[in-house]
Amino acid sequence: MNVIAKPEDRLLYKGADWDFDTLMRVHDACAEIAGEELGLDWYSNRIEVISAEQMLDAYASTGLPLFYRHWSFGKHFAQHESLYRKGLRGLAYEIVINSDPCVSYVMEENTATMQALVIAHAAFGHNHFFKNNQLFRQWTDAKGILDYLEFARGYVQACEEQHGEMAVERVLDSAHALMNYGVHRHRRRAPDLLSEQKRERERREHDERMYNVLWSTLPEKAAQPATRTEEERRRALLQLPQENILYFLEKSAPRLAPWQREILRIVRNVAQYFYPQRQTKMMNEGCATYTHHRILGRLHEQGRISDGNWLEVLHSHSSVIMQPDFDDQRYSGMNPYALGFAMMEDIERICREPTEEDRDWFPDFAGCGDPMPVLRYGWSEFRDESFILQFLSPALMRKLRLFHIVDDSGQPVLRVDAMHDERGYRRLRRALARQYDPAWTDPDIQVVDVDLGGDRKLILEHRVAGGRLLEEQEARQVLRHLASLWSYDVLLREVDPTSGASLREHAVSPPR
């Protein structure tokens, strides 16, 4: 006699409750679809269940599972906790770490359906993106990050015991203020965080040698101007101009102790770890959101999650990708989940059901039938800015009702600069992509000179883009931290990149 399985027998879980066997079944079902149908490639997964308070703690320490102590993390924890307890802010369903194995933290308060969504989203969507995107492959060390964080926490703790918490806190305060200017923006050798602890002693000895060589270039009489050869040698030793300010201070600040230099190195390594995430936020979230939608939709088609579970998925999914209109009080720019998911779905539409317009704009893949090779290529080879330039279609611009406004402070009115026509689409696409380009959004500030022949003043230059000067009060606060680490006067010049003319100067002295 044949036994006919009931539909309920295929369900991965029933109701909202779950246990660790449920998580394992869900993970394996998601892995089957992610590998066989979507062709994803991911690091091995490690899924950890945490409480709401642990999630708040992870929020406060930038989402990293192991980190050194600092007062700012406690401040952020108190802020997040207060808003959460009052019901004014929810918590993320998950946090995922770019590591090998990939660590995904899921909330113990989540329902079984939300755990399935989180696993599909983080353990497969984000995980695939971390492993395959070129920015992450070039700039981060997934195998070494967890061991390095453990080393960093132990090193900072040892410094606190040896030199005092206040002394360490002052260095960390200044390093955190300069964290956004502690990254290499151009390709260098891939980091090897596993060897950092072994190389710490070697770097200390090297820094001491470099200190002696560098400051021996001071002329015997300060009044004598340096010759061109001496100036070129000095600039070569200091590697000027230098965009990575923390790197420059670590290698060249004259009065920093070896332990202080190592703390600067720790902070800039963490900043470098997060640098690709800043450039791929929209793509990363779009990849993960598209992945969880495809995987859970397929599980629903197979009868492995119920209709009620699928409605819960759709409710959460639609909330995540909601994009407020520009005149909505909730509007704060483009929602990266909304734009990312919309672009992934639009690429799928172009591959399967292209229009003539699509064939004109995307002749390489329009009508190819299978969107996954195109999506995997995009997730691998692009960042947000270039992905928008390459894949944003006129149809999606119309669907999102995008338009470009020029806000010129020299003009009395705003000007609509791009409409929905052939020329307007291209200008609109360029304008939107620019908002995701760090070269446009981040100030271009570099160390350009040091007055070794005089008062050892550190000179920086801000190449002003689009007439946007730095906010004066904030600039001076950051420069005070820089002067504290340099130990001598600091001068920042804001210059016109075309003419080289000085537009404004900020001079700061170190604390006495």
Side-chain angles (χ1 to χ4, degrees), residues 1-12:
M1 186 175 79
N2 294 330
V3 178
I4 301 176
K6 296 180 181 180
E8 292 82 0
D9 296 338
R10 300 200 64 196
L11 293 177
L12 294 171

Side-chain angles (χ1 to χ4, degrees), residues 217-219 221-235 449 453:
T217 61
L218 282 170
K221 296 182 179 180
Q224 296 179 351
T227 67
R228 183 172 182 83
T229 302
E230 291 171 342
E231 184 173 332
E232 290 175 352
R233 182 188 175 205
R234 169 172 55 81
R235 290 174 64 85
D449 205 357

Side-chain angles (χ1 to χ4, degrees), residues 11-15 17 22 25-26 112-114 116 304-305 309:
L11 293 177
L12 294 171
Y13 55 87
K14 298 177 183 178
D17 295 335
T22 304
R25 289 196 302 273
V26 168
T113 297
M114 289 311 306
R304 300 165 84 177
I305 62 174
N309 299 143

Side-chain angles (χ1 to χ4, degrees), residues 50-251:
I50 61 176
S51 65
E53 185 166 329
Q54 289 172 313
M55 182 66 78
L56 286 166
D57 189 49
Y59 271 18
S61 59
T62 65
L64 295 175
L66 301 167
F67 216 27
Y68 52 77
R69 297 181 303 173
H70 189 252
W71 64 268
S72 62
F73 303 149
K75 175 184 174 181
H76 293 154
F77 178 87
Q79 290 174 337
H80 291 309
E81 183 183 38
S82 176
L83 293 172
Y84 174 66
R85 302 301 180 197
K86 293 176 181 178
L88 300 177
R89 173 178 294 174
L91 294 180
Y93 298 122
E94 44 76 27
I95 288 180
V96 59
I97 308 300
N98 171 29
S99 59
D100 183 10
C102 182
V103 182
S104 299
Y105 294 96
V106 299
M107 290 266 286
E108 64 181 5
E109 290 87 349
N110 290 347
T111 65
T113 297
M114 289 311 306
Q115 302 294 38
L117 187 150
V118 164
I119 289 172
H121 182 94
F124 294 98
H126 282 309
N127 192 344
H128 170 87
F129 195 90
F130 288 147
K131 185 176 182 180
N132 293 277
N133 182 266
Q134 289 298 325
L135 277 176
F136 286 92
R137 292 172 66 88
Q138 293 173 10
W139 291 102
T140 63
D141 178 12
K143 286 186 176 295
I145 184 62
L146 296 179
D147 289 336
Y148 182 70
L149 290 175
E150 186 174 0
F151 157 72
R153 183 173 65 174
Y155 188 88
V156 172
Q157 185 175 353
C159 288
E160 290 174 339
E161 294 172 356
Q162 183 175 357
H163 305 286
E165 291 185 4
M166 290 299 295
V168 174
E169 188 175 284
R170 282 194 294 270
V171 177
L172 285 174
D173 286 348
S174 297
H176 286 178
L178 295 164
M179 204 169 185
N180 287 341
Y181 310 99
V183 297
H184 294 296
R185 291 179 170 84
H186 301 92
R187 185 176 180 181
R188 300 169 72 93
R189 181 176 57 85
D192 180 12
L193 297 179
L194 287 173
S195 64
E196 283 293 312
Q197 188 171 3
K198 299 177 182 178
R199 295 171 54 201
E200 186 265 329
R201 183 182 299 276
E202 297 174 8
R203 284 197 302 272
R204 187 187 311 171
E205 296 172 354
H206 169 75
D207 290 342
E208 291 172 354
R209 291 195 301 270
M210 285 299 296
Y211 174 88
N212 294 332
V213 171
L214 173 63
W215 296 106
S216 68
T217 61
L218 282 170
E220 294 182 3
K221 296 182 179 180
Q224 296 179 351
T227 67
R228 183 172 182 83
T229 302
E230 291 171 342
E231 184 173 332
E232 290 175 352
R233 182 188 175 205
R234 169 172 55 81
R235 290 174 64 85
L237 280 171
L238 294 171
Q239 301 181 41
L240 299 179
Q242 177 59 254
E243 64 180 359
N244 190 330
I245 297 176
L246 283 182
Y247 175 82
F248 175 82
L249 292 171
E250 176 200 338
K251 300 300 182 184

Side-chain angles (χ1 to χ4, degrees), residues 443-485:
D444 180 10
I445 300 175
Q446 300 186 31
V447 178
V448 295
D449 205 357
V450 180
D451 185 11
L452 294 180
D455 56 7
R456 301 182 182 178
K457 179 184 294 182
L458 182 64
I459 302 173
L460 299 93
E461 189 173 276
H462 170 218
R463 296 174 64 83
V464 178
R468 297 172 298 167
L469 297 171
L470 299 173
E471 201 282 318
E472 186 166 6
Q473 183 177 359
E474 184 175 344
R476 294 186 68 83
Q477 290 175 346
V478 175
L479 286 174
R480 289 191 188 100
H481 285 290
L482 176 56
S484 175
L485 294 172

